[in-house]
Structures are given as structure tokens and as C-alpha cells.
């Protein structure tokens, strides 16, 4: 599985691979993602990616009415369009991440989650809703629907028996992760929220999925502006030091307005 492949789900890994080494290095700020030296034969300076955790929160979103009718994230269309090309994220997905962070800033200011963390997770989990040819509509709907592997207890995979009768994830034997942020049915039923005002709580809608992920992370980590809080939130999402490092690398790149390597 390469770095962009779908990961199993928020309760995913049954083993924290290289957890101690990876997290210790991040906390100490010793993992270098970018370099300030110019590439060989080029006068252009590379963007330096900040080290350590938590990653930066990135370009601030403009003030919006989080309760505006319709798809409230559309208020961030210009903001997203201005960043999209540089960070390599579609405008609809980027707006969803920004809106989710804005909602948490207003409703739970003590959390401090940045849109960059949500984008880092979205990149690793589903390439921002575009894994395996899926596309994100202007309303945030991801189709074809993205489903993870069966959580059958195989190597590196948690074993989770079916909890939804296959109604949500299409698997009546084992649970599978769902949608662009890869939630298992049981977690989605507890934390899922309607973020785009369409009256549905849909794991295959990137607005709903991004805000659900933000709520989950804030509940699990508390203050995500601290290294301890951010680490705790990410380890609750996926108990893997490798996963944490990968999300951090991508979120840190987004925080300085560039694409991850």
C-alpha cells in the first residue's frame, strides 16, 4: 500500500508500528521534511517545512457565518481557490476542512484544531476524496463511495465484526471504513454530523466527514495546540506512529502553503 492508499479506519491499526521512535522524533523536532537549500542546478529556494508537533494551522480562514443556510462552506470558496493550486487540494475539499476548523473555533475554541490537520488526514485516508478515481462534487459528495478493506484481523488490521448489518459499509460480516475520512460505522453513528445543511449525516460527504473528524479529534485530544493533545488525538484516530508522522508531514506542508513531497 503506498502513502496515498486508503487506510482501514479511525480504530484501525492493531499495532503501533515504530510508535515510540516515530513519536519521540517528532516531539523533539528531528524529522526534516523540507530543506532550505536550492535544488541542484536551480536558483529557486525550496520551502522549509516546519518540524515538530503540532503542525501549524495554516492560512487563516476569513470570518464566516457557520450557520448560514445551504452549504455554509461555500463562504470559503475564494479562500480555497486562492490556496488550492499551491497545496494541491481541490477547492471543495479545502473549503470543507476550513469550514470544519472554523466551526470548532467558534463552538469549542479550547481545541485549536487547524484545517491543516484535517487536510493531512484527508490526504492520507483518501487523497481528499479522490482515491481510486472517486470525485468530489461541488456539494461535497464523494462518488463512487470509498470503502476500506474488511477489518478482519489480518496483518496490521484490527478485527471488528459487523456493527451495522452492512447497511452503511456494504459488508455484513466485518466493518469497513467509509468515506473520505474513513470512519467505521460504529464511530460514525456516534460522532457523525450534518455539516452542509442537507438534512443527512453522510460519511460519503466531505463536509460531514471533515466536521465529524474535527469533533472526534477535539474530543479525544482536548487542546490540539499542544504536542501532547495533538498526539493523543491522532493516536485515537489511528494507533500508529507511522500514521501520525505521515499526517504531520502533510499537515506541516499545508501549513506553509505548499504540497507535501
Amino acid at each position: 500500500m503506498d502513502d496515498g492508499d486508503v487506510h482501514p479506519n479511525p480504530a484501525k491499526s492493531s499495532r503501533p508500528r515504530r510508535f515510540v521512535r516515530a513519536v519521540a522524533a517528532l516531539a523533539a523536532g528531528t524529522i526534516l521534511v523540507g530543506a532550505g537549500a536550492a535544488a541542484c542546478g536551480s536558483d529557486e529556494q525550496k520551502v522549509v517545512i516546519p518540524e515538530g508537533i503540532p503542525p501549524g494551522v495554516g492560512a487563516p480562514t476569513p470570518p464566516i457565518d457557520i450557520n448560514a443556510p445551504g452549504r455554509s462552506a461555500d463562504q470559503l470558496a475564494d479562500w480555497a481557490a486562492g490556496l488550492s493550486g499551491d497545496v494541491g487540494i481541490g477547492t471543495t475539499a479545502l473549503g470543507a476542512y476550513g469550514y470544519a476548523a472554523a466551526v470548532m473555533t467558534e463552538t469549542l475554541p479550547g481545541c485549536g484544531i487547524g484545517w491543516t490537520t484535517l487536510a493531512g488526514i484527508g490526504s492520507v485516508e483518501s487523497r481528499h476524496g479522490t482515491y481510486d478515481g472517486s470525485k468530489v462534487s461541488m456539494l461535497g459528495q464523494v462518488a463512487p463511495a470509498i470503502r476500506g478493506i474488511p477489518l478482519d484481523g489480518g496483518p496490521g488490521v484490527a478485527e471488528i465484526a459487523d456493527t451495522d448489518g452492512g447497511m452503511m459499509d456494504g459488508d455484513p460480516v466485518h466493518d469497513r471504513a467509509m468515506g473520505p475520512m474513513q470512519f467505521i460505522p460504529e464511530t460514525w453513528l456516534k460522532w457523525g454530523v450534518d455539516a452542509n445543511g442537507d438534512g443527512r449525516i453522510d460519511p460519503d460527504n466531505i463536509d460531514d466527514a471533515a466536521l465529524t473528524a474535527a469533533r472526534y479529534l477535539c474530543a479525544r485530544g482536548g487542546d490540539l495546540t499542544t504536542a501532547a493533545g495533538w498526539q493523543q488525538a491522532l493516536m485515537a484516530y489511528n494507533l500508529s506512529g507511522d500514521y501520525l508522522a505521515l499526517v504531520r508531514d502533510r499537515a506541516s506542508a499545508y501549513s506553509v502553503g505548499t504540497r507535501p513531497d
Side-chain angles (χ1 to χ4, degrees):
M1 191 174 346
D2 66 34
D3 286 347
D5 280 353
V6 172
H7 288 246
N9 71 46
K12 314 174 180 85
S13 178
S14 60
R15 52 177 183 169
R17 297 172 297 166
R18 298 196 296 275
F19 166 70
V20 174
R21 178 160 58 87
V23 174
L26 285 169
T30 58
I31 292 182
L32 179 64
V33 185
C40 182
S42 171
D43 293 329
E44 184 177 351
Q45 294 288 314
K46 291 188 67 177
V47 175
V48 176
I49 310 300
E51 302 173 12
I53 55 176
V57 296
T61 56
I64 61 172
D65 176 3
I66 64 170
N67 298 309
R71 184 178 184 258
S72 300
D74 284 341
Q75 297 170 90
L76 297 175
D78 290 342
W79 171 84
L83 287 172
S84 177
D86 289 336
V87 298
I89 304 173
T91 56
T92 302
L94 189 52
Y97 303 142
Y99 174 71
V103 170
M104 300 314 296
T105 295
E106 186 166 328
T107 61
L108 195 65
C111 172
I113 191 171
W115 64 264
T116 53
T117 290
L118 298 170
I121 292 172
S123 173
V124 174
E125 297 291 4
S126 70
R127 299 173 190 159
H128 310 296
T130 66
Y131 175 76
D132 199 25
S134 290
K135 298 183 184 300
V136 184
S137 77
M138 293 181 66
L139 297 177
Q141 207 63 29
V142 176
I146 298 171
R147 295 292 179 265
I149 62 175
L151 296 172
D152 57 7
V157 177
E159 183 173 5
I160 304 179
D162 173 66
T163 61
D164 68 326
M167 295 298 294
M168 298 180 69
D169 62 6
D171 189 334
V173 180
H174 294 95
D175 272 352
R176 295 179 183 239
M178 309 179 297
M181 301 299 271
Q182 290 287 277
F183 280 97
I184 59 172
E186 184 177 26
T187 307
W188 184 260
L189 288 172
K190 180 176 180 179
W191 293 98
V193 64
D194 176 14
N196 64 354
D198 66 356
R200 301 171 61 225
I201 301 176
D202 186 354
D204 296 310
N205 183 278
I206 201 160
D207 296 322
D208 294 0
L211 184 53
T212 296
R215 294 177 67 235
Y216 182 87
L217 290 163
C218 287
R220 289 292 183 261
D223 183 357
L224 269 63
T225 67
T226 67
W230 193 86
Q231 175 182 312
Q232 184 171 316
L234 265 291
M235 295 304 288
Y237 208 91
N238 187 323
L239 186 60
S240 165
D242 287 350
Y243 180 87
L244 182 150
L246 185 56
V247 169
R248 190 225 71 126
D249 290 352
R250 297 188 183 187
S252 292
Y254 298 141
S255 78
V256 291
T258 192
R259 297 171 185 242
D261 290 336

